[in-house]
Amino acid sequence: MSGPDVNLVLRSTRVVTPEGTRPAAVAVAGGTIDAVLPYDTEAPAGARLEDFGDDVLLPGLVDTHVHVNDPGRTEWEGFWTATRAAAAGGITTLLDMPLNSLPPTTTVENLHTKQQVAAPKAHVDTGFWGGAIPSNVKDLRPLYDAGVFGFKCFLSPSGVEEFPELDQEQLARSMAEIAGFGGLLIVHAEDPHHLADAPQRPGPAYADFLASRPRDAENTAIEGLIAHAKRLNARVHVLHLSSSDALPLIAAAKREGVRVTVESCPHFLTLTAEEVPDGATEFKCCPPIREAANQDALWAGLADGTIDCIVSDHSPCTTDLKTPDFASAWGGISSLQLGLPAIWTEARRRGHSLDDVARWMSAAPAALAGLTRKGAIEAGRDADFAVLAPDATFTVDPAELFHRNQVTAYAGKTLHGVVRSSWLRGVRIASDGVLAEPTGRLLERDH
C-alpha cells in the first residue's frame, strides 16, 4: 500500500479512472487520493476499508451551473437545501451563479456577503461566479482577484431587474476587460432582437412558448459571441446550449482555435418538447426544451466533443411562480439531485458508458473552472466520490427530494442509477439519502 498516512481504502470492482473503468482500491490520506492500486491490495494496518462490491466508484460530480438564490431569495432554494440535494445526487462540488440572489455577485462586497451566508451551510465544496452587467466593468478585476471563477452575462433579459443584460458594445467591453487578465466569460446566449420578433402568445400551450424562444435567437447570439472571442482572443463559454443548429458553428470555431467551450443540461438531453403537457410549466426554461430530433443532434455533439460538459442549470423557484401560463411562469428546472441518474438513464440507452458520463459531468466541468483538485480519481486529487448502483432503478417522487421547493419536471419518471453514497475529501457526506453535518469548503479560483 502507498504512503504511510493512508487512513481509508475504498474498493470496487468498477472504479472509473481517467484510463477507464477497472477493479481497483483507492487509497486516501488526509482527504487526498494517495494512490489507485490493484483491487486486491491489502489495506494498511489502522486504515478503514470500505468495499462497494460491484457498485461503481465515480469521481464526485462537479456542477458549475447552480442557482442557489441565497441570500435574498432563499425561499426559492438556499445553500443548506441546495448543497444537501447536491450531495444526495453525487455532486461534491458546485459553483453558484451570480444572480437570483440579492445582492447579485457583481461586486467584491456582494461576494463577501454571499460567502458569509454560504460558509456554515455548505454540505459540498462551493465556489462562486461573478456577474458582468453594464455598470460593473470596474468591478471585474477586483472580483477576479477575490477568487471568483469567471463572469456570467446575459445577452437578453435575465428575468430579474438587478442583473441587466449586456448589449453588443457592453459585451465587447466586458469581454476585453476579462480577456486582459486571463479570465473566463460565461454567456447566456439568446439574441434579444430575435426574441422580440418572435410570436408572443401567452397561455398554457407549450408550442406557443417554444415558438417564442426560436433557435435563431441562440444561433445568432452564439455567432456574435464567437466573433468577439476570435477578435479579442478571449476565453468564452456558452451556457445551457439548447439549439443543435449552433453545433456546426461551434465546431468550426473550435477547429479555428477560438477559445470557446460549451455545456448542455440534463433537461435538454433527456426531455423533449413532444412530451411536455400544456400548462406543465415545471418544464419551462430559457432557452427551452426542444424537439426529439434536436435532442438526438445534441447527443451527437456530446459524442464528438463539440459539447464539452453537462451541468444542471438548477434554477428553482417557489411553487406559486410556476403558474400554468408559460409566458408568465418563472423559467427554470430543478434537477440538482437528479442529474446523474437522468443522464445515465439516457446515456446507457444510447450506448454510452459511465466513463463518458464521468468525463461530461466531472472532469470537463472541473477543467472549465480550473478546479485542478477535482474531477478525477487519480493520485493528488481530492478524495471526492460518488458511489452509484447503475442498474438499480427508482421512480422520482418530488416529496423525497432535498430541493427546498419540490417541483420537478422529472416527477413520476423511472430512472436508472441510484446514488448509494457521496464522499468529500474522504468523508462520507451522504449515505442512502441520509446527510451528514455540513463539511463543505468555500472554494476560490487557483491564483
Side-chain angles (χ1 to χ4, degrees):
M1 181 59 70
S2 193
D5 301 321
V6 170
N7 60 338
L8 174 67
V9 177
L10 306 181
R11 177 186 288 160
S12 166
T13 61
R14 294 185 283 183
V15 178
V16 177
T17 76
E19 295 76 41
T21 297
R22 64 180 195 269
V26 181
V28 176
T32 298
I33 298 171
D34 186 74
V36 181
L37 300 161
Y39 175 80
D40 53 5
T41 305
E42 281 193 35
R48 190 167 100 252
L49 174 66
E50 292 273 352
D51 193 325
F52 301 120
D54 293 331
D55 286 348
V56 178
L57 188 66
L58 290 159
L61 269 53
V62 177
D63 191 341
T64 54
H65 195 151
V66 181
H67 294 270
V68 180
N69 310 332
D70 195 7
R73 291 190 178 95
T74 310
E75 70 276 12
W76 291 17
E77 188 59 275
F79 284 102
W80 180 264
T81 49
T83 58
R84 284 167 68 84
I91 296 164
T92 52
T93 303
L94 65 79
L95 296 191
D96 173 56
M97 282 290 164
L99 75 158
N100 303 326
S101 56
L102 292 167
T105 316
T106 50
T107 67
V108 172
E109 181 182 5
N110 292 357
L111 171 66
H112 290 159
T113 298
K114 184 168 280 197
Q115 288 170 326
Q116 288 162 13
V117 170
K121 301 176 183 175
H123 288 76
V124 302
D125 283 0
T126 302
F128 304 91
W129 294 109
I133 59 174
S135 61
N136 81 329
V137 173
K138 68 184 185 307
D139 296 296
L140 299 176
R141 182 62 192 255
L143 273 165
Y144 195 66
D145 291 342
V148 300
F149 285 83
F151 302 90
K152 180 180 187 177
C153 72
F154 280 75
L155 304 184
S156 55
S158 72
V160 291
E161 62 183 21
E162 67 276 0
F163 203 95
E165 72 273 23
L166 302 180
D167 64 24
Q168 288 298 305
E169 184 182 329
Q170 293 160 344
L171 172 66
R173 193 180 309 132
S174 293
M175 192 186 294
E177 173 72 10
I178 293 163
F181 53 75
L184 170 65
L185 181 66
I186 66 174
V187 183
H188 181 124
E190 285 183 289
D191 178 77
H193 306 293
H194 282 281
L195 296 180
D197 290 343
Q200 304 294 325
R201 287 187 290 270
Y206 188 70
D208 288 342
F209 172 65
L210 192 57
S212 76
R213 312 292 295 208
R215 298 186 199 196
D216 281 351
E218 282 189 85
N219 306 337
T220 299
I222 291 167
E223 186 176 20
L225 183 66
I226 287 170
H228 283 305
K230 187 174 181 178
R231 179 173 59 83
L232 295 168
N233 189 29
R235 189 171 162 233
V236 297
H237 178 72
V238 177
L239 296 167
H240 46 50
L241 181 71
S242 153
S243 170
S244 63
D245 295 349
L247 290 169
L249 183 70
I250 294 161
K254 287 186 169 196
R255 287 193 298 271
E256 289 178 28
V258 180
R259 299 163 71 197
V260 58
T261 50
V262 185
E263 71 186 34
S264 195
C265 306
H267 38 279
F268 300 134
L269 295 162
T270 68
L271 305 173
T272 62
E274 290 89 342
E275 72 184 273
V276 180
D278 287 349
T281 55
E282 63 269 26
F283 289 86
K284 178 182 176 179
C285 56
C286 299
I289 295 164
R290 303 192 188 277
E291 302 82 357
N294 180 80
Q295 182 182 97
D296 291 342
L298 291 177
W299 276 98
L302 272 168
D304 69 19
T306 306
I307 298 172
D308 299 270
C309 56
I310 304 171
V311 291
S312 71
D313 189 12
H314 177 74
S315 185
C317 66
T318 51
T319 307
D320 61 296
L321 294 180
K322 286 290 191 183
T323 67
D325 175 6
F326 273 99
S328 63
W330 179 258
I333 290 182
S334 296
S335 64
L336 198 54
Q337 190 171 335
L338 299 170
L340 175 55
I343 286 295
W344 172 233
T345 300
E346 188 66 17
R348 73 201 297 272
R349 190 178 75 79
R350 292 175 179 266
H352 294 288
S353 68
L354 279 169
D355 296 77
D356 297 325
V357 173
R359 184 174 73 254
W360 295 326
M361 302 187 79
S362 186
L368 171 73
L371 289 161
T372 56
R373 294 186 61 85
K374 308 294 187 183
I377 298 179
E378 63 182 3
R381 305 262 187 162
D382 286 348
D384 299 349
F385 310 103
V387 178
L388 185 75
D391 300 319
T393 62
F394 69 102
T395 300
V396 177
D397 177 357
E400 294 179 357
L401 299 176
F402 288 101
H403 309 152
R404 184 181 299 278
N405 292 286
Q406 294 161 328
V407 178
T408 176
Y410 295 94
K413 287 193 172 291
T414 297
L415 302 178
H416 277 87
V418 172
V419 177
R420 298 293 190 205
S421 60
S422 300
W423 299 68
L424 182 64
R425 287 185 303 278
V427 174
R428 190 175 359 225
I429 59 171
S431 179
D432 293 317
V434 178
L435 279 296
E437 288 301 303
T439 56
R441 296 178 184 171
L442 300 191
L443 303 176
E444 295 182 2
R445 178 185 45 80
D446 293 338
H447 289 72

